[in-house]
Coordinates of all heavy atoms in Angstrom, one line a residue:
T857 N -20.0 -0.5 6.6 CA -18.8 0.3 6.1 C -18.0 0.8 7.3 O -16.9 1.1 7.2 CB -19.1 1.3 5.2 OG1 -20.1 2.4 5.8 CG2 -19.8 0.9 3.9
A858 N -18.7 1.0 8.5 CA -18.0 1.6 9.6 C -16.8 0.8 10.0 O -15.8 1.3 10.6 CB -19.1 1.7 10.8
V859 N -16.9 -0.5 9.8 CA -15.8 -1.5 10.2 C -14.6 -1.1 9.5 O -13.5 -1.2 10.1 CB -16.2 -2.9 9.8 CG1 -15.1 -3.8 10.2 CG2 -17.5 -3.3 10.6
V860 N -14.6 -0.6 8.2 CA -13.3 -0.3 7.5 C -13.2 1.2 7.5 O -12.0 1.7 7.4 CB -13.4 -0.8 6.0 CG1 -13.2 -2.3 6.1 CG2 -14.7 -0.5 5.4
I861 N -14.3 2.0 7.4 CA -14.2 3.5 7.3 C -13.5 4.1 8.5 O -12.6 5.0 8.4 CB -15.5 4.1 6.9 CG1 -16.0 3.8 5.5 CG2 -15.5 5.6 7.2 CD1 -15.1 4.4 4.5
I862 N -13.9 3.7 9.7 CA -13.4 4.3 11.0 C -11.9 4.1 11.0 O -11.2 5.1 11.4 CB -14.2 3.8 12.2 CG1 -15.6 4.3 12.2 CG2 -13.5 4.2 13.5 CD1 -16.5 3.8 13.4
P863 N -11.4 2.9 10.9 CA -9.9 2.8 11.0 C -9.2 3.7 9.9 O -8.1 4.4 10.2 CB -9.6 1.3 10.7 CG -10.9 0.6 11.1 CD -12.0 1.7 10.8
V864 N -9.7 3.6 8.7 CA -9.0 4.5 7.6 C -9.1 5.9 7.9 O -8.2 6.7 7.7 CB -9.6 4.1 6.2 CG1 -9.1 5.0 5.1 CG2 -9.4 2.6 5.8
G865 N -10.3 6.4 8.3 CA -10.5 7.8 8.6 C -9.9 8.3 9.8 O -9.9 9.5 10.0
S866 N -9.4 7.5 10.7 CA -8.9 7.9 12.0 C -7.3 8.2 11.9 O -6.7 8.6 12.8 CB -9.1 6.8 13.0 OG -10.5 6.6 13.3
V867 N -6.7 7.9 10.7 CA -5.3 8.1 10.5 C -5.1 9.7 10.5 O -5.6 10.4 9.7 CB -4.8 7.5 9.2 CG1 -3.3 7.8 9.1 CG2 -5.0 6.0 9.3
R868 N -4.3 10.1 11.5 CA -4.2 11.6 11.7 C -3.2 12.2 10.7 O -3.5 13.2 10.1 CB -3.8 11.9 13.1 CG -3.6 13.4 13.4 CD -3.5 13.7 14.8 NE -3.4 15.2 15.1 CZ -3.3 15.6 16.4 NH1 -3.4 14.9 17.4 NH2 -3.4 17.0 16.4
Y869 N -2.0 11.6 10.6 CA -0.9 12.3 9.9 C -0.8 11.8 8.5 O -0.9 10.6 8.2 CB 0.4 12.0 10.7 CG 0.5 12.6 12.0 CD1 0.3 11.8 13.1 CD2 0.5 13.9 12.2 CE1 0.4 12.4 14.4 CE2 0.6 14.5 13.4 CZ 0.5 13.7 14.5 OH 0.5 14.3 15.8
I870 N -0.8 12.7 7.6 CA -0.9 12.4 6.1 C 0.2 11.5 5.6 O 0.0 10.8 4.7 CB -1.0 13.7 5.3 CG1 -1.7 13.5 4.0 CG2 0.3 14.4 5.2 CD1 -2.0 14.7 3.2
K871 N 1.4 11.5 6.3 CA 2.4 10.6 5.8 C 2.1 9.2 5.9 O 2.5 8.3 5.2 CB 3.7 11.0 6.4 CG 3.9 10.5 7.8 CD 5.4 10.7 8.2 CE 5.7 10.1 9.7 NZ 7.1 10.3 10.1
Y872 N 1.3 8.9 7.0 CA 0.8 7.5 7.1 C -0.2 7.0 6.2 O -0.6 5.8 6.2 CB 0.4 7.3 8.6 CG 1.5 7.6 9.6 CD1 1.3 8.5 10.6 CD2 2.7 6.9 9.5 CE1 2.3 8.8 11.6 CE2 3.7 7.3 10.5 CZ 3.5 8.2 11.5 OH 4.5 8.4 12.4
L873 N -0.8 8.0 5.3 CA -1.8 7.6 4.4 C -1.2 7.3 3.0 O -1.9 6.9 2.1 CB -2.8 8.8 4.2 CG -3.7 9.1 5.4 CD1 -4.5 10.4 5.2 CD2 -4.7 7.9 5.6
V874 N 0.2 7.4 2.9 CA 0.8 7.2 1.6 C 0.5 5.8 1.1 O 0.1 5.5 0.0 CB 2.3 7.3 1.8 CG1 3.0 6.9 0.4 CG2 2.6 8.8 2.0
P875 N 0.6 4.7 2.0 CA 0.2 3.3 1.5 C -1.2 3.2 1.0 O -1.5 2.6 0.0 CB 0.4 2.4 2.7 CG 1.4 3.2 3.6 CD 1.1 4.6 3.4
F876 N -2.1 3.9 1.7 CA -3.5 3.9 1.2 C -3.6 4.6 -0.2 O -4.3 4.0 -1.0 CB -4.3 4.6 2.2 CG -4.5 3.9 3.6 CD1 -3.7 4.4 4.7 CD2 -5.4 2.9 3.7 CE1 -3.8 3.7 5.8 CE2 -5.5 2.2 4.9 CZ -4.8 2.7 6.0
S877 N -3.0 5.7 -0.4 CA -3.0 6.4 -1.6 C -2.4 5.4 -2.7 O -2.8 5.4 -3.9 CB -2.3 7.7 -1.6 OG -3.0 8.7 -0.9
F878 N -1.3 4.8 -2.4 CA -0.6 3.9 -3.4 C -1.6 2.8 -3.7 O -1.8 2.5 -4.9 CB 0.6 3.3 -2.7 CG 1.4 2.4 -3.7 CD1 2.1 3.0 -4.8 CD2 1.5 1.1 -3.4 CE1 2.8 2.2 -5.7 CE2 2.2 0.3 -4.3 CZ 2.9 0.8 -5.4
I879 N -2.2 2.1 -2.8 CA -3.2 1.0 -3.1 C -4.3 1.6 -3.9 O -4.8 0.9 -4.8 CB -3.6 0.4 -1.8 CG1 -2.5 -0.3 -1.0 CG2 -4.7 -0.7 -2.1 CD1 -2.7 -0.8 0.3
A880 N -4.8 2.7 -3.5 CA -6.0 3.3 -4.3 C -5.6 3.5 -5.7 O -6.4 3.3 -6.6 CB -6.4 4.6 -3.6
I881 N -4.4 4.0 -6.0 CA -4.0 4.3 -7.4 C -4.0 3.0 -8.1 O -4.3 2.8 -9.2 CB -2.6 5.0 -7.4 CG1 -2.8 6.5 -6.9 CG2 -2.1 5.0 -8.8 CD1 -1.5 7.2 -6.5
L882 N -3.3 2.0 -7.5 CA -3.2 0.6 -8.1 C -4.6 0.1 -8.4 O -4.8 -0.5 -9.6 CB -2.4 -0.3 -7.3 CG -0.9 -0.1 -7.1 CD1 -0.3 -1.1 -6.2 CD2 -0.2 -0.1 -8.5
C883 N -5.5 0.2 -7.5 CA -6.8 -0.4 -7.7 C -7.6 0.3 -9.0 O -8.1 -0.4 -9.8 CB -7.7 -0.2 -6.4 SG -7.3 -1.2 -5.1
L884 N -7.5 1.6 -9.0 CA -8.1 2.3 -10.1 C -7.4 2.0 -11.4 O -8.1 1.9 -12.5 CB -8.1 3.9 -9.8 CG -9.0 4.7 -10.7 CD1 -10.5 4.2 -10.7 CD2 -8.9 6.1 -10.4
L885 N -6.1 2.0 -11.4 CA -5.4 1.7 -12.6 C -5.7 0.3 -13.1 O -5.9 0.1 -14.3 CB -3.8 1.8 -12.4 CG -3.3 3.3 -12.2 CD1 -1.9 3.3 -12.0 CD2 -3.7 4.1 -13.4
F886 N -5.8 -0.7 -12.2 CA -6.2 -2.0 -12.6 C -7.6 -2.0 -13.2 O -7.9 -2.7 -14.2 CB -6.1 -3.0 -11.4 CG -4.8 -3.6 -11.3 CD1 -4.0 -3.4 -10.1 CD2 -4.2 -4.4 -12.2 CE1 -2.8 -3.9 -9.9 CE2 -2.9 -5.0 -12.0 CZ -2.2 -4.7 -10.8
G887 N -8.5 -1.2 -12.5 CA -9.8 -1.2 -13.0 C -9.9 -0.6 -14.4 O -10.6 -1.0 -15.3
C888 N -9.1 0.5 -14.6 CA -9.1 1.2 -15.9 C -8.5 0.3 -16.9 O -8.9 0.3 -18.1 CB -8.2 2.5 -15.8 SG -9.1 3.8 -14.8

């Protein structure tokens, strides 16, 4: 998991995490 966790966890500024949150929401909504 370090291969994907380190890049995702290294994003410093929260505005650059918006795409990640958007994808996460879509994934969970599709799952639901």
Side-chain angles (χ1 to χ4, degrees):
T857 60
V859 177
V860 287
I861 287 293
I862 290 178
V864 172
S866 297
V867 179
R868 177 172 188 174
Y869 297 107
I870 199 169
K871 76 171 185 177
Y872 299 125
L873 289 171
V874 172
F876 292 100
S877 287
F878 182 69
I879 295 172
I881 292 169
L882 288 181
C883 287
L884 192 59
L885 290 180
F886 274 119
C888 291

